[in-house]
Amino acid sequence: MRNIILKSFETFIAQPLSLLKNKIVRITNLKNDFLTSNAINVNIFDDAVQIDVVNSEKAYNLLSAVVYKRKMNELRQVKKDENIKTPILN
């Protein structure tokens, strides 16, 4: 299981960051009773990156948490930049 997660991150990180930076990241959790193995697939589209996690709730939760934290950091940075640009009037 650990090797599958590490391989998926290697695939994801191998892409140039400029391709991934301004794209929408979608993570899907697929449960399949017919497949006994776990898999993580990364698909890069023009405006989005889709990560399909098959039969691995732990990997899905990990990737979802990473994307959530990234979005929260971006929102904090935007708010910080807005506070710097607009003067506070008393």
Side-chain angles (χ1 to χ4, degrees), residues 39-72:
I40 298 175
N41 300 315
V42 178
N43 298 310
I44 299 176
F45 302 105
D46 290 337
D47 61 344
V49 175
Q50 182 169 328
I51 303 171
D52 298 321
V53 181
V54 180
N55 293 339
S56 179
E57 188 136 352
K58 288 181 182 180
Y60 171 77
N61 291 337
L62 174 68
L63 292 170
S64 295
V66 169
V67 170
Y68 174 77
K69 288 179 182 180
R70 178 179 153 204
K71 287 180 183 178
M72 294 305 295

Side-chain angles (χ1 to χ4, degrees), residues 6-20:
L6 292 176
K7 286 180 183 179
S8 66
F9 278 116
E10 288 174 6
T11 302
F12 189 70
I13 291 175
Q15 299 299 321
L17 289 178
S18 61
L19 290 175
L20 303 175

